[in-house]
């Protein structure tokens, strides 16, 4: 079996909304970015993602899982650039210590930069 050399990941999205994931995948493709998407935190946990890759976590992941709790765990486990994505105003969110930023649901202009 031939294994292609893959470019390193530019960013990761964890979001339970299929439309959001599909939109991000389309934008990433047009920008030439390497994006990996997950519909839940368990899938992300099982993957081998480098701690320096920017990770964007939906504020509400479904099944009463809060993105803030997921982000906190990721930060405690050494992930360096964890963002929350949300439709809520940033002021309405209790941000965990070490969170890199809060953005809207749109694909980030410059992934990994605040």
């Amino acid at each position: 079996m031939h294994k292609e050399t893959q470019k390193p990941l530019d960013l990761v999205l964890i979001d339970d909304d299929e439309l959001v994931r599909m939109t991000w995948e389309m934008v990433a493709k047009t920008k030439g970015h390497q994006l990996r998407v997950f519909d839940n935190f368990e899938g992300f946990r099982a993957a081998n993602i480098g701690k320096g890759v920017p990770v964007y976590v939906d504020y509400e992941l479904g099944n009463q899982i809060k993105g803030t709790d997921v982000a906190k765990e990721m930060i405690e486990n050494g992930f360096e650039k964890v963002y929350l994505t949300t439709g809520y105003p940033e002021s309405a969110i209790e941000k965990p210590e070490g969170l890199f930023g809060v953005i809207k649901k749109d694909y980030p202009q410059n992934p990994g930069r605040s």
Side-chain angles (χ1 to χ4, degrees):
M1 187 162 130
H2 179 265
K3 182 170 171 127
E4 289 183 36
T5 306
Q6 289 194 345
K7 286 174 49 180
L9 279 176
D10 292 305
L11 67 162
V12 170
L13 172 67
I14 306 170
D15 197 309
D16 64 327
D17 185 325
E18 184 177 8
L19 185 57
V20 172
R21 292 191 312 269
M22 288 172 50
T23 301
W24 278 49
E25 287 174 322
M26 286 189 308
V27 175
K29 189 173 184 176
T30 64
K31 292 181 176 268
H33 292 162
Q34 292 298 313
L35 166 69
R36 185 124 181 236
V37 297
F38 297 91
D39 62 0
N40 60 54
F41 187 48
E42 291 76 28
F44 173 85
R45 252 196 216 127
N48 186 20
I49 304 296
K51 300 208 185 294
V53 175
V55 181
Y56 295 81
V57 182
D58 183 17
Y59 178 64
E60 293 180 331
L61 283 170
N63 297 326
Q64 287 142 5
I65 297 172
K66 287 257 179 231
T68 48
D69 295 335
V70 168
K72 183 177 184 215
E73 181 178 324
M74 292 175 68
I75 293 162
E76 288 170 354
N77 286 318
F79 283 87
E80 300 165 12
K81 295 181 179 177
V82 180
Y83 298 82
L84 285 174
T85 63
T86 184
Y88 293 104
E90 185 174 348
S91 59
I93 296 171
E94 195 172 319
K95 297 180 271 301
E97 180 132 359
L99 187 71
F100 213 74
V102 177
I103 68 164
K104 298 290 180 199
K105 296 289 245 172
D106 300 326
Y107 189 91
Q109 292 290 332
N110 295 303
R113 297 176 188 88
S114 55

